[in-house]
Amino acid sequence: MNYGLYKKMEIYRAKPATKREMTQFHSDDYIEFLSKVTPNNMNQYQKEQAKYTVGDDCPIFDGLFDYCAISAGGSMGAFSFGMKMREKGDQKAYQAVTVVIFMIQRARRA
């Protein structure tokens, strides 16, 4: 706020990713697990929690799937926006695209 950078920024609101979009990057089982598990029923999903290392440092909370969908949608939206800007010849967008691609590749290795 001190530098006034916010005055030069544009806000793009990405739509949440759909289950179908998320299964392009994750297994159907994992996305289904995220869509069903809640703090109230998490005891029914002990096997899945161990399989996907969900729990202590990745807690299950109300709205978990919505959070994941918004986060994934934001990443996909940023990538898409960066690619469009790059196609228009905006060299600054190349850095944004490169960062997103790096993050996606790193997440795939995890």
Side-chain angles (χ1 to χ4, degrees):
M1 297 294 243
N2 292 337
Y3 298 104
L5 183 61
Y6 69 95
K7 295 176 185 176
K8 298 179 185 219
M9 296 174 68
E10 295 180 39
I11 297 174
Y12 295 92
R13 300 215 186 270
K15 66 175 184 61
T18 65
K19 278 186 178 182
R20 183 170 182 253
E21 290 169 328
M22 288 192 282
T23 57
Q24 293 175 351
F25 302 96
H26 299 285
S27 71
D28 293 351
D29 292 341
Y30 180 59
I31 299 303
E32 191 63 25
F33 163 71
L34 290 176
S35 72
K36 290 183 176 181
V37 70
T38 68
N40 294 332
N41 69 7
M42 61 190 272
N43 290 334
Q44 299 170 21
Y45 294 96
Q46 294 294 324
K47 182 179 172 184
E48 291 86 351
Q49 288 180 64
K51 179 179 179 180
Y52 302 122
T53 60
V54 175
D56 295 333
D57 62 344
C58 298
I60 294 168
F61 54 90
D62 284 325
L64 174 63
F65 182 76
D66 292 336
Y67 170 82
C68 293
I70 291 167
S71 177
S75 295
M76 292 184 327
F79 179 78
S80 177
F81 173 75
M83 290 302 289
K84 287 177 187 173
M85 295 305 291
R86 184 170 177 224
E87 288 170 6
K88 290 181 180 180
D90 186 342
Q91 296 303 311
K92 293 178 286 185
Y94 178 74
Q95 291 177 325
V97 171
T98 304
V99 169
V100 173
I101 290 171
F102 173 76
M103 292 172 65
I104 290 170
Q105 290 175 338
R106 188 168 184 186
R108 283 184 166 176
R109 290 186 202 132

